[in-house]
Amino acid sequence: MKNPNSNSIEGFLLYLRHAAGSKSDSLRPYLIVAADAMIRLHRKGDNPFQEEHFKPYEGAHCIVEGHWDEQAKVFLVENIRRSDTQLP
Amino acid sequence: MKLLFCEECGGRLGNTDVFCTGCGCKVPLEIEAEPARASIDPAFSGGWRFGQILPPLPEKTRVELWLTNSRRLREQLDSDSAARVLALVRGKTGLKDGWAHLMLDLVSDFGHASPDWTDHVAVLAAAEDQLKETVGKGFDAICIVGDEKVIPMAEFVDLTETDEAVESDAVYSTMSLGDPWKDEAARNFERATGRLPVGVGWGASAFEAYLSNADAAGKAIFSSSFVQGVSAQCWSEASQRVLQDLGGGLVQSSPEADHKTLPHRWDQKSPWQYFNLHGAIEEPGWYGEGASDYPVAFLPFLMTHLQSLNVVGVEACYGARFMGLSTEESALLSALSHKTVAFLGSSKIAFGPPRPPNSLADVMIRDFLKHMRQGVSAGDAHLMARHAVASTLDDWAADPAMVIKTVLSFNLFGDPSVRLNKPLGGLARLIHPPKVPLRDTLSPVRARLDASMTLTQKRLQGMMEAQYRELQGIQPLVNTISRTGDLERLRWGWKTRVGAFEKHWFVLTDSAGKTLAETHSK
C-alpha cells in the first residue's frame, strides 16, 4: 500500500562524494533536481556506505517516491523507476 | 522510617533501643559504612535557591547539579513514570562520596513556556551565582536528566559544512551564550557535563537501573583491565596507536569481523570498550571498511552482550545518535539500558586520521578512556579530553573548524560523577609485587633514530635558511608518510607569515634523510 505521506521527485541520479575529509567520506546517491539543487537518497535498511539499490540507476533520469526525513536530511526512497524524459 | 527487629527473639525494636524490651538482649550498634546523607532534604532539592540553608560543605566537597524539568518529563513519560524519575533524582541529593548533589527542577522557572538553550544557560548561571553566594562554590558537574525535549541541546551551524548543525551540551559546561566558532569564552569548558536521556526512547525503568549500575561501578571488581577495540580496517593503524597509548589492548578489525562474528571474537568482559567504525544518521549500525566493502560491524543490540559494567568511547559519525530513537535503533540507548555507565560519542559527523599521529576524534576518545582508567570521573575525563583536543586549535596541521566541531559534537552520556573502580590486573593485585629488571632494548634504538633525525633536521634547516631568509630560526614540523608497499618517507614543513599571507614550505625525504622533493604553497 502506498504511504499517504509519499512524494515523488524527478531528477538525475548520480553518486557524489559526501562529507569529504570526514569519517563519513564516501560516495552517496543524489538526485539532481535542478541546476543548483540536489537531494541525498537512501532506502531504509540499506547500507548507507554502499547504497547498492541505486547503482543500476546511476546516470539515469529517475522518478523516486518516498518521503523526506527532516532529521537525517535525506529522502527515504520507497520506489524508484527510470523516467522517459530525455536529456535536453 | 527503618523498622528494626531483635535478632534473638524477633521482637520489634525502637530506633533508639540499646536492649530488646522483649528478651533483654543487647542490640548491636548499627554502624553506617559511610557518613552518607543522601536525603530528601529540601535545601538540596532546590531550596538552596530560595534561602534554605545547606549544611557547611567540607573543604574538598565538589558540587554536582542534577538538572531536569518535571513538566517536560511528564510530556515525555506518563505521570507515574515522571514522578518516579523525580523521586529517584531527589533521592540522589545530599552529601555522598565527596560530592554535594543538588537538584534543580526548572518547572518553576519556565512553566508552560518553551525555552531554548540560551534561556536554560541564563537560569543556570543565575542559580550558580546564588550557590556561590551561599556556600562559596559553583557547579563542578551538571547531570542533565532528560532527552533534548526535556532539556534542550544547543544547536550551532556547522562551519565544516559536513552537517547543517551541531547539537551540543557543551554550553552547560561553558555557561556561555556566545558562538563557539568565534568566541573563545564559548570554548572555555569548566564544568563536567553529562546527560541521562530520559524520554520516550529511554524510560524510568532504564533510568533506575542505570543509577544502580552507576552506584556499583565505583566498587566493582573487574577481571579484565585491557581495552577492547573494534576498528574499521582503514583506520586500524590509528586505532592501534590509541590502544598503545592506553596501555595495550586488542583491536578487532572489520571487515575481518562483522556483527555476526564479533560476539565470538570480542572481549565482552572488558570494562573499556573502544569503537573506531563508520556510522550513519540513516541507519542504526556501525560499519567497517575494507577494499570498497563496508560490512555491518556492530548493531545496537550487541551492547547487551557486554558482561561487565563498562565505559564506551566511540569515534563513529553519529555514534551518540538518540533523538527520536529506541534502544533497538540507538547503540547509545542500548548501552545505557544495559551495563554502560559512561558513553562518549559524537552527535554528528566526526573526523580523524587514517594513520598516526592521532588527532581529533582519536584524541577525544583516547584521553577520555585514559583518564577514566586512571580513576578520574567520567565528566572530568571528558573535560580533560575536550581540553586536549581544543589545545590543538593553533597547530599548523589542524583544521580549526574540525577541532571546534569535535569539541562540540562529542557529548558525554551518563552521570558525570561516575567512575569505574580502578582495575588491578595480575601482579598489581599484590601489595608488594616482585620487581623484575627488564632489559631496555628499545631506548638505544630510539636514541640512535632520534640522533639521525636531529642531524637531518639540522642539515635541512641550514639548507632552507640559506635559500629563504624568512625561515631563520623557524623549526620544521615532521610528519611520516607511509603507504602500503612504499618505504617510509618524511614530510618536513615550515610555516611563516609574509604580509597578509601564510606561506608553507615542504621538503620530502626518505627515512635516511635524502631529499626527494621540495614544494611551496602558492
Side-chain angles (χ1 to χ4, degrees), chain A residues 23-24 40 42 45 47 50, chain B residues 276 278 282-283 294 317 350:
Chain A
K23 292 173 88 72
S24 281
R40 190 152 67 84
H42 175 64
N47 185 325
Q50 302 199 155
Chain B
N276 191 3
H278 284 290
E282 306 94 327
E283 296 293 330
Y294 295 86
C317 299

Side-chain angles (χ1 to χ4, degrees), chain B residues 465-498:
Chain B
E465 283 181 358
Q467 288 185 73
Y468 310 104
R469 269 182 156 188
E470 56 267 55
L471 295 185
Q472 291 281 343
I474 296 175
Q475 297 290 312
L477 285 172
V478 60
N479 281 305
T480 308
I481 304 167
S482 61
R483 264 181 259 163
T484 315
D486 278 351
L487 290 173
E488 187 177 85
R489 292 172 300 160
L490 301 168
R491 185 174 61 220
W492 306 78
W494 289 257
K495 180 178 74 166
T496 189
R497 188 168 281 281
V498 180

Side-chain angles (χ1 to χ4, degrees), chain B residues 69 141 156 172 195 207 209 238 267 313 354 368 378 460 477 493 501 514:
Chain B
N69 183 326
F156 297 105
Y172 301 115
R195 180 183 287 266
F207 177 62
D267 179 3
F368 170 67
L460 291 174
L477 285 172
F501 300 102
K514 185 183 166 193

Side-chain angles (χ1 to χ4, degrees), chain B residues 142-309:
Chain B
I142 298 175
C143 185
I144 298 163
V145 179
D147 64 11
E148 82 289 355
K149 289 180 178 143
V150 178
I151 303 289
M153 283 181 136
E155 264 195 29
F156 297 105
V157 290
D158 178 5
L159 293 194
T160 70
E161 296 183 343
T162 48
D163 284 296
E164 279 195 7
V166 189
E167 291 100 3
S168 182
D169 282 331
V171 291
Y172 301 115
S173 177
T174 61
M175 296 271 198
S176 167
L177 299 176
D179 180 349
W181 297 100
K182 299 176 191 158
D183 182 358
E184 207 173 321
R187 299 192 300 267
N188 190 13
F189 306 107
E190 289 181 332
R191 296 157 199 83
T193 307
R195 180 183 287 266
L196 291 165
V198 180
V200 174
W202 199 74
S205 302
F207 177 62
E208 187 166 11
Y210 172 86
L211 292 182
S212 165
N213 285 340
D215 279 344
K219 299 162 195 127
I221 304 293
F222 298 99
S223 59
S224 167
S225 63
F226 284 114
V227 180
Q228 167 64 57
V230 186
S231 173
Q233 193 185 59
C234 59
W235 299 321
S236 58
E237 284 180 53
S239 302
Q240 198 62 61
R241 179 60 61 86
V242 166
L243 259 68
Q244 276 172 21
D245 291 344
L246 292 172
L250 190 65
V251 178
Q252 293 290 344
S253 175
S254 177
E256 282 81 24
D258 65 18
H259 69 285
K260 288 182 187 142
T261 59
L262 193 61
H264 310 293
R265 308 170 59 146
W266 179 31
D267 179 3
Q268 293 157 30
K269 288 185 179 162
S270 170
W272 313 105
Q273 298 287 335
Y274 164 60
F275 297 91
N276 191 3
L277 295 164
H278 284 290
I281 194 168
E282 306 94 327
E283 296 293 330
W286 294 338
Y287 302 83
E289 183 186 348
S292 69
D293 183 22
Y294 295 86
V296 181
F298 198 85
L299 288 167
F301 81 90
L302 287 171
M303 287 295 182
T304 64
H305 282 234
L306 294 175
Q307 293 170 25
S308 299
L309 294 174

Side-chain angles (χ1 to χ4, degrees), chain A residues 24-85:
Chain A
S24 281
D25 196 336
S26 52
L27 292 174
R28 305 285 179 102
Y30 284 83
L31 200 67
I32 315 301
V33 294
D36 57 352
M38 55 190 184
I39 297 169
R40 190 152 67 84
L41 306 178
H42 175 64
R43 194 172 72 144
K44 201 77 190 153
D46 282 358
N47 185 325
F49 291 89
Q50 302 199 155
E51 300 285 13
E52 299 286 350
H53 182 69
F54 300 107
K55 287 271 164 72
Y57 301 95
E58 188 172 5
H61 193 261
C62 301
I63 297 171
V64 296
E65 287 176 357
H67 63 276
W68 178 246
D69 180 338
E70 178 57 32
Q71 199 186 338
K73 310 286 182 204
V74 67
F75 192 80
L76 296 173
V77 176
E78 287 149 16
N79 285 303
I80 180 166
R81 65 178 192 275
R82 286 167 193 271
S83 84
D84 299 328
T85 308

